[in-house]
């Protein structure tokens, strides 16, 4: 894509891909809970917390709704520029990404004997969500800059 491509069209495909990865993760765990299939990792491999599965599933559905809302905002280009929005995404997304990257690396190395760290699949999908938040923050920043708003 070139510089004349509208801003939302530069971000939307990547954001859709990240959201789709998370939706596939939620569906895969639900399949393994309802009726395990051999070609997917076992249910417990997807479970990265002590949260009971029904509560986890409810929170994942809420997250999917928030991802869909963000995608609609980008698609409709209806973001109102405000410096706090992109800063919040950068701070929260950055901290989230760093924590989950540490979790993943620690689980692969010196904390491989600790169950929460050793489960790499949940950590990977937390990185997917963190990347979505960071990308959305960059979109908000870029949209505000292009609109001449506060950056």
């Amino acid at each position: 894509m070139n510089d004349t491509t509208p801003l939302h069209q530069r971000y939307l495909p990547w954001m859709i891909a990240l959201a789709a990865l998370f939706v596939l993760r939620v569906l895969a765990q639900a399949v393994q809970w309802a009726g395990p299939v051999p070609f997917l990792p076992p249910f417990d491999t997807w479970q990265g917390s002590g949260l009971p599965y029904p509560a986890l599933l409810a929170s994942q559905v809420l997250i999917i709704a928030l991802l869909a809302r963000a995608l609609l905002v980008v698609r409709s280009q209806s973001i109102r520029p405000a410096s706090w929005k992109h800063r919040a995404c950068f701070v929260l997304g950055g901290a989230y990404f760093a924590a989950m990257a540490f979790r993943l690396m620690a689980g692969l190395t010196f904390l491989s004997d600790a169950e929460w760290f050793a489960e790499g699949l949940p950590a990977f999908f937390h990185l997917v969500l963190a990347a979505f938040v960071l990308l959305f923050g960059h979109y908000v920043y870029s949209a505000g800059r292009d609109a001449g708003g506060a950056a």
Side-chain angles (χ1 to χ4, degrees):
M1 289 186 203
N2 57 38
D3 290 338
T4 61
T5 303
L7 184 66
H8 72 288
Q9 288 181 7
R10 286 182 257 157
Y11 286 83
L12 204 53
W14 295 104
M15 294 175 69
I16 289 171
L18 291 168
L21 273 174
F22 184 71
V23 168
L24 288 174
R25 177 257 183 270
V26 172
L27 291 174
Q29 187 175 14
V31 164
Q32 292 303 77
W33 181 63
V37 294
F39 60 87
L40 288 173
F43 175 82
D44 290 338
T45 306
W46 300 94
Q47 191 72 10
S49 70
L51 205 57
Y53 181 66
L56 175 65
L57 183 59
S59 68
Q60 290 170 331
V61 169
L62 176 62
I63 291 167
I64 291 168
L66 292 171
L67 297 177
R69 173 74 175 119
L71 290 170
L72 287 173
V73 164
V74 173
R75 191 180 118 243
S76 67
Q77 305 170 62
S78 62
I79 193 73
R80 292 191 183 104
S83 62
W84 70 268
K85 291 176 186 175
H86 76 266
R87 286 190 180 115
C89 287
F90 289 157
V91 169
L92 296 174
Y96 183 27
F97 193 93
M100 291 302 112
F102 173 79
R103 174 185 175 182
L104 186 59
M105 291 294 108
L108 292 171
T109 57
F110 64 95
L111 289 175
S112 60
D113 57 331
E115 186 179 345
W116 187 76
F117 286 95
E119 293 297 341
L121 206 51
F124 170 79
F125 284 102
H126 281 291
L127 289 173
V128 167
L129 289 176
F132 185 98
V133 172
L134 289 168
L135 193 57
F136 182 68
H138 198 270
Y139 169 78
V140 172
Y141 169 77
S142 298
R145 186 189 63 221
D146 288 356

